[in-house]
Amino acid sequence: MKQSNQKKIAIDLNIRSATIAVTEPMDIVILWKRGAKKIDTKIKSITPENTTAIFNEQFQMKTQLEWDSLRNQFRKKQSILSVHLVRAGEDVMEAADNNTSIVLGDANFDLAYYANNPEINQDKLPLKKCNLDEEAFIQIHIKTNSNEVLMKSQP
């Protein structure tokens, strides 16, 4: 019989940078999507000469992760960082909601992976479906309070 329960985990995510080899200058923004929740970064520019946009933006999201007591770990919970092209006069959040924004690539990551491995605090997430650069990636720093939450819940 599967034993599980929900634990509220705080996730601190620092979106450090996005690196995409482009052939022309463009403005980009990164959206962090988790279910219906979305958070966006400030707009940054990338160029053929400077292919890395430094964001260095800190976000915190509280989320319920399911604890599997048989496996003694959190169950997968996918989250997405997506890089969007910013067009003049466009509200990127509104365009994303309407599916009219241009997505340059997505990086999927599992929040439970970082909760299960709290010693991992930085990662390089490859951008999938990035037609501009198959080597494109987003650099993150991530921290969870999973150890504290689990220690509090022990009898």
Side-chain angles (χ1 to χ4, degrees):
M1 184 173 142
K2 280 188 179 173
Q3 298 254 326
S4 68
N5 58 7
Q6 300 278 318
K7 308 266 186 224
K8 189 172 221 157
I9 302 294
I11 311 242
D12 290 317
L13 177 67
N14 182 324
I15 299 175
R16 304 284 297 188
S17 64
T19 301
I20 306 171
V22 294
T23 56
E24 60 186 271
M26 58 182 67
D27 291 336
I28 61 171
V29 69
I30 299 176
L31 298 187
W32 179 17
K33 294 185 276 189
R34 172 64 227 124
K37 297 178 186 173
K38 269 199 280 290
I39 305 171
D40 63 336
T41 63
K42 291 182 178 76
I43 297 169
K44 299 291 179 175
S45 296
I46 52 176
T47 65
E49 300 77 37
N50 186 6
T51 58
T52 298
I54 306 296
F55 290 92
N56 205 17
E57 289 190 48
Q58 187 81 29
F59 299 101
Q60 186 175 73
M61 186 184 282
K62 287 189 172 27
T63 190
Q64 295 283 347
L65 292 182
E66 203 169 319
W67 178 252
D68 185 332
S69 55
L70 290 179
R71 291 189 178 84
N72 215 28
Q73 66 181 21
F74 291 102
R75 291 205 183 138
K76 282 187 177 207
K77 189 161 192 178
Q78 289 300 314
S79 200
I80 299 170
L81 291 174
S82 57
V83 179
H84 294 251
L85 176 68
V86 178
R87 295 177 287 203
E90 178 180 64
D91 179 323
V92 176
M93 291 293 260
E94 191 177 297
D97 287 341
N98 298 331
N99 289 324
T100 57
S101 76
I102 297 174
V103 179
L104 299 179
D106 289 324
N108 296 322
F109 66 112
D110 177 12
L111 298 176
Y113 172 76
Y114 301 101
N116 289 327
N117 300 284
E119 72 283 358
I120 297 172
N121 59 14
Q122 54 185 323
D123 214 344
K124 184 174 160 179
L125 307 172
L127 277 182
K128 294 179 173 62
K129 298 184 253 168
C130 184
N131 296 332
L132 296 174
D133 177 10
E134 58 188 41
E135 303 292 317
F137 62 91
I138 296 173
Q139 190 92 32
I140 63 168
H141 281 218
I142 190 162
K143 187 175 85 174
T144 73
N145 67 343
S146 57
N147 278 346
E148 295 89 355
V149 169
L150 290 175
M151 287 174 75
K152 282 182 192 171
S153 67
Q154 288 181 354

